[in-house]
Structures are given as C-alpha cells and as structure tokens.
Amino acid sequence: MRATEKAGPLAGALSTLDRRSRFELIGEIPLDFPTHHPQGMAFAKGLTFLSSVEILEAPYPAADPALRTPGRGSGHVFVLGEGGELIRDIPVGEGAVYHPGGIDFDGEHIWVSVAEYRAASGSIVYTIDPDTFEVRERFRVDDHIGWILRDPGLDLVFGGSWGSRQLFTWDTEGRLVDQWENPGHFVDYQDAQLLGPGLLLCSGISLLPQANGTALELGGLALVEPLRQSIRLDVPISVFSGAGHVITRNPVTITADESGLLLHAAPDDGDDPGGTRILSYRII
C-alpha cells in the first residue's frame, strides 16, 4: 500500500480512462478494528491514513440538508501498517464538528477537513504530521467542507462543499482565493487527491432512484482543474464490493507500479457484511 510519486505520468495514464476500463481485484486487506464509516484515504511514509466518522446520534434528516439537526459523533484518522493493523487512532474535530472528509498527503503533512454533518455549516481544516502524528489546526471555514488537499507546487489549498456542489481555493492561511459552482452533476465528490500542479483526481457517488423504489449507487472518477474551473474528464464506475457498495463510495487513492494503474478503495463500513476492507484493483 505504498504510494508512488504523484507526477505527470500518473495523470497521463488516468486521462485514458473511459467506460470500457476494467477493474481487476488483486488484493484485499481486512481491517480488524471498529472502522465506523470511512471517508478518505492517503498513503504516507509507508503508512495508510484512513479518516472515518463515528456516528453516536444520527442527524435528523431534512429535505434541505442545511436544516438537518447536528447529531453527535466522533472524528477519527486511523493510522494503519502495511498489513492493515491499527497503529494509532487520532481524534479530530470538536463539538458538532465531527465529520472528517476526504484527505490527501502533500509530501509533508496529511490534510484533513472536519465538518458538521450538515450542509452550509462549519469546518475545521487540520494537518497531521505523518512522523509524529501531531495534529495542527490550520484554519476554519463557514461551510461544510467534504474534502481537502494542498497543492505544494502552487502553495494553494483546494476543497469541496457538501456534495462538492461548490469548489474552493484558499491560500494556506485560509484566505479564500476562488469559489465556483461545480458544472458536473453525475456524482458528488467524496475524496480527492493531487495528481500534479492544478490537477485533481476526485472520486464519488450518486444515489439514483430506481423504478422498484431502490437506489442505484453510481460511482465516478473525475479529473478536475480548479484554476481553469473545469472538469477535464468524467468516468462512471460500476464496480461493487462484496457488501454491494460502489468502490468509489468514499475512500479512494490511485497509485501506479510497473504494471500500470492501481485503485485502492475502502467502500464498506465497519457494520457492513465482512466489515471494512481495503480493496486494490488493477485498472485495465
């Protein structure tokens, strides 16, 4: 589960993805501890960092997600060894701000956003030192930020709102540089990683109602260029875990080895059949 260098070749290989791309399961690592509801995943220093929300009292739903009750919960960033063993459980958030989102490693720190579990609310942006596990608050945002990452080449921070309907750019002190409406409507981005300066890989899910009253989980990957306010590529994903969740439901990280692209995902919750597993797929 070691990450390769994020660079141009990875972005170039991803640009060839289309609806005919196949995903071959080549490995799975079961996580033998309470994982709750995983959200984001990043690899750093030979370790896997997995953010997750533990729901103690679910928010009361509302047609407008901004009007949900706050609920209660705890935010976690789990630090895992190569075999999936739990090395550290890092608490993040405070009070009603308990829902971590998608995370990424910028070469120095893991960036983590923790939000209230409702739209148009509030968030705290943290960094975690992958060597010492020290947590540092960076800035606060008056909105639900569902994922966060820093682009060290541009020294900018990118993130997305509830469902990534709004996309943001900040400087590293939290000053807003840009905000724009997401022109894509196929999936709501849940996790993101930096591929190169100004280029993001975003992954996510939509729940599409079916005629029989059930919902289909449609997954997707997108190459997003925040400085251009554009989506370079949108690809639907219809590969499912053993528990029936589309593999881009929450944590996703792409790496590469000598054989090509690998997608790593943890789509299942701790209380799903079989629990949470980190699944690795070769993209063909």
Side-chain angles (χ1 to χ4, degrees):
M1 295 194 295
R2 295 180 185 274
T4 59
E5 184 75 15
K6 297 176 189 174
L10 185 57
L14 282 165
S15 68
T16 66
L17 284 177
D18 59 28
R19 291 175 61 182
R20 296 167 296 179
S21 299
R22 293 185 293 118
F23 295 80
E24 176 190 0
L25 182 65
I26 60 171
E28 50 185 294
I29 298 176
L31 303 184
D32 190 21
F33 61 91
T35 56
H36 311 299
H37 181 25
Q39 298 295 307
M41 182 164 57
F43 301 151
K45 305 295 182 75
L47 302 171
T48 299
F49 291 77
L50 184 74
S51 62
S52 181
V53 58
E54 177 183 6
I55 304 299
L56 301 174
E57 177 187 322
Y60 192 81
D64 180 349
L67 299 179
R68 291 157 51 109
T69 61
R72 292 189 306 110
S74 297
H76 303 264
V77 176
F78 300 122
V79 184
L80 313 178
E82 285 203 24
E85 66 276 14
L86 180 63
I87 293 174
R88 185 71 65 94
D89 179 355
I90 303 173
V92 289
E94 62 179 43
V97 179
Y98 61 83
H99 193 298
I103 66 178
D104 198 30
F105 177 53
D106 69 356
E108 297 179 359
H109 297 94
I110 305 294
W111 285 72
V112 184
S113 59
V114 186
E116 294 187 39
Y117 201 1
R118 51 185 176 176
S121 53
S123 304
I124 306 172
V125 175
Y126 299 98
T127 55
I128 298 174
D129 186 313
D131 293 310
T132 66
F133 307 138
E134 178 186 5
V135 179
R136 174 185 169 190
E137 180 180 328
R138 294 287 183 155
F139 56 86
R140 300 190 177 216
V141 180
D142 291 330
D143 203 342
H144 175 105
I145 303 303
W147 55 268
I148 199 86
L149 61 82
R150 174 178 173 261
D151 184 331
L154 300 174
D155 202 25
L156 293 172
V157 179
F158 300 118
S161 68
W162 182 277
S164 290
R165 293 304 91 209
Q166 293 288 314
L167 300 175
F168 301 92
T169 303
W170 303 273
D171 66 16
T172 55
E173 301 300 317
R175 289 182 286 265
L176 185 64
V177 174
D178 193 17
Q179 178 178 348
W180 52 292
E181 185 173 348
N182 187 345
H185 296 278
F186 289 107
V187 299
D188 293 341
Y189 307 148
Q190 306 293 320
D191 202 0
Q193 77 180 84
L194 184 72
L195 299 179
L199 181 62
L200 316 183
L201 173 71
C202 296
S203 55
I205 181 175
S206 282
L207 296 177
L208 303 181
Q210 304 297 290
N212 62 3
T214 63
L216 168 69
E217 291 187 2
L218 173 67
L221 297 171
L223 297 181
V224 178
E225 297 179 285
L227 300 187
R228 297 176 181 269
Q229 297 190 352
S230 68
I231 298 173
R232 181 190 296 185
L233 179 70
D234 251 334
V235 179
I237 304 293
S238 55
V239 180
F240 296 88
S241 71
H245 293 302
V246 72
I247 59 174
T248 60
R249 178 179 178 232
N250 273 314
V252 170
T253 296
I254 299 283
T255 65
D257 63 13
E258 63 281 354
S259 67
L261 289 175
L262 302 173
L263 182 146
H264 313 275
D268 301 332
D269 293 344
D271 58 1
D272 281 325
T276 300
R277 296 170 180 261
I278 296 179
L279 308 176
S280 294
Y281 295 85
R282 190 178 314 283
I283 303 176
I284 303 171

